[in-house]
Amino acid sequence: MKHLSAGQTAELRSELEHALSKLQKSLVVSDQAVRPVELDQTAVGRLSRMDSLQSQSMAKGLRERETVRLALVRDALKRIDDGTYGLCAACGGEIAFERLMVFPESPTCAGCSG
Ligand SMILES: [Zn+2]
């Protein structure tokens, strides 16, 4: 990561650590949201049960995206320690600092992310 200065790397590392703690917190919350919907006929009417099934599936989709991002963030932090951070996993080229500021967890350059 020669194209990144120590200051830039430190900035990106703090971005990643911030994202990591945010994602971990959010995943704990969504853990509760994806629990099986209670099928209590008396307490919950048919409509509100469908509502909760719908919001459950939305929570699942969000959770999947967050899980993917969490893995990328963890991987990026590991690559900072390895000294390979900022290099495209596909073409080996340098990932622009500007792109990393927007997607600090990105493993590929703008050209390869398609
Ligand atoms: Zn690339």
Side-chain angles (χ1 to χ4, degrees):
M1 48 183 161
K2 280 182 205 132
H3 67 298
L4 298 175
S5 71
Q8 286 173 328
T9 307
E11 201 173 339
L12 291 164
R13 182 196 283 273
S14 89
E15 285 289 321
L16 285 163
E17 281 168 352
H18 182 70
L20 182 71
S21 72
K22 241 173 65 179
L23 284 164
Q24 280 169 336
K25 268 185 212 139
S26 168
L27 281 165
V28 171
V29 173
S30 63
D31 229 4
Q32 286 153 4
V34 293
R35 288 212 179 128
V37 176
E38 297 264 346
L39 293 177
D40 186 340
Q41 301 280 354
T42 53
V44 190
R46 193 179 167 77
L47 272 176
S48 62
R49 200 163 70 244
M50 281 173 67
D51 274 356
S52 52
L53 282 170
Q54 197 169 32
S55 69
Q56 191 189 27
S57 84
M58 277 166 63
K60 262 187 191 159
L62 177 69
R63 192 184 157 74
E64 274 157 27
R65 286 196 298 279
E66 285 181 332
T67 306
V68 169
R69 181 148 189 248
L70 183 67
L72 287 173
V73 167
R74 284 209 174 109
D75 191 54
L77 282 165
K78 205 173 131 275
R79 280 182 285 122
I80 288 182
D81 291 334
D82 290 349
T84 58
Y85 180 73
L87 296 178
C88 175
C91 72
E94 294 172 351
I95 306 175
F97 177 66
E98 290 70 27
R99 173 172 167 77
L100 291 169
M101 278 309 285
V102 184
F103 302 112
E105 74 277 24
S106 175
T108 53
C109 71
C112 294
S113 72

